């Protein structure tokens, strides 16, 4: 008789485990099945805006400076969704250091200094260290650091230049002035 009781208790324990597993499985299934809409600012721009931003992106690197600057300024005037979409284009479209620099300048002008830094950095990483644009991009990144209150990073970026090429006279003066300004805090 005792053996029968023990068997019934064991069978009851197994049923409870299976029931608990089924409850957990249904809860997981329910969690996976529910669809929560993303926040409005996380949804990509509408298709027509994506097409417009793609045209701006492609024009930012144009040889004609006025066309490139105008395209960069129009793109920078968008919202966060537009800016995220523009960043995604860097990975899928032709990369242009000149275009990234123009967009960075437009973002900086709009007061979006972290985003501007990111675009100057993209451009900097895209050019060869001997490219004449490289020291200018380094200066622009340092300027954004200064705007962000990251003065030590600003000074380090300018003072620890690895290149052996001397800076152009006008750029050397800008480096020196920004180092002095950032050093004062």
């Amino acid at each position: 008789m005792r053996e029968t009781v023990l068997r019934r208790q064991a069978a009851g324990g197994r049923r409870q485990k299976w029931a608990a597993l089924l409850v957990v499985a249904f809860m997981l299934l329910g969690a996976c099945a529910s669809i929560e809409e993303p926040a409005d600012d996380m949804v990509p721009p509408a298709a027509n805006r994506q097409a417009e931003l793609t045209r701006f992106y492609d024009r930012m690197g144009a040889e004609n400076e006025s066309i490139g600057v105008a395209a960069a300024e129009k793109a920078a005037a968008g919202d966060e969704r537009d800016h995220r979409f523009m960043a995604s284009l860097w990975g899928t479209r032709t990369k242009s250091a000149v275009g990234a620099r123009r967009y960075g300048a437009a973002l900086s002008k709009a007061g979006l200094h972290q985003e501007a830094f990111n675009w100057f950095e993209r451009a900097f990483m895209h050019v060869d260290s001997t490219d004449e644009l490289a020291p200018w991009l380094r200066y622009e990144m340092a300027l954004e650091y200064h705007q962000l209150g990251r003065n030590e990073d600003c000074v380090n970026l300018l003072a620890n230049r690895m290149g052996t090429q001397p800076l152009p006279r006008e750029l050397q003066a800008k480096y020196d002035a920004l180092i002095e300004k950032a050093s004062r805090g």
Side-chain angles (χ1 to χ4, degrees):
M1 175 133 135
R2 181 173 181 186
E3 203 173 287
T4 307
V5 170
L6 290 175
R7 282 187 199 170
R8 286 183 187 159
Q9 286 177 345
R14 282 192 295 265
R15 275 187 240 133
Q16 286 179 336
K17 286 181 186 176
W18 279 107
L21 283 174
L22 283 173
V23 168
V24 170
F26 284 124
M27 289 174 59
L28 284 173
L29 186 61
C32 293
S34 67
I35 298 174
E36 186 176 321
E37 291 293 320
D40 285 342
D41 63 338
M42 294 306 293
V43 175
N48 59 342
R49 180 65 175 157
Q50 288 183 26
E52 183 178 36
L53 290 167
T54 302
R55 283 191 301 278
F56 292 154
Y57 179 90
D58 291 341
R59 289 181 187 153
M60 289 186 324
E63 283 189 36
N64 182 313
E65 186 169 348
S66 63
I67 290 174
V69 169
E73 288 175 351
K74 288 177 184 174
D79 61 14
E80 285 183 46
R81 293 183 311 170
D82 290 350
H83 299 162
R84 277 195 305 277
F85 182 76
M86 291 295 287
S88 76
L89 293 175
W90 183 258
T92 60
R93 308 287 292 181
T94 301
K95 293 175 175 72
S96 165
V98 171
R101 183 181 187 204
R102 288 174 180 159
Y103 189 51
L107 290 166
S108 181
K109 188 176 173 181
L112 301 168
H113 299 292
Q114 183 60 56
E115 288 185 57
F117 177 88
N118 294 343
W119 280 91
F120 289 134
E121 185 178 42
R122 280 183 179 99
F124 184 77
M125 299 302 284
H126 185 65
V127 299
D128 187 63
S129 63
T130 59
D131 191 303
E132 64 183 26
L133 194 57
W136 288 96
L137 290 164
R138 180 181 288 273
Y139 171 76
E140 289 159 341
M141 288 188 301
L143 197 56
E144 295 308 317
Y145 269 153
H146 180 63
Q147 292 294 327
L148 291 165
R150 296 176 60 181
N151 292 320
E152 188 175 330
D153 291 329
C154 172
V155 171
N156 286 335
L157 188 60
L158 296 177
N160 296 323
R161 192 172 69 89
M162 300 296 287
T164 57
Q165 298 279 49
L167 294 170
R169 179 174 282 151
E170 70 175 293
L171 188 55
Q172 182 65 58
K174 288 178 177 271
Y175 269 53
D176 294 343
L178 186 53
I179 288 173
E180 176 66 29
K181 189 176 180 180
S183 295
R184 284 184 268 136

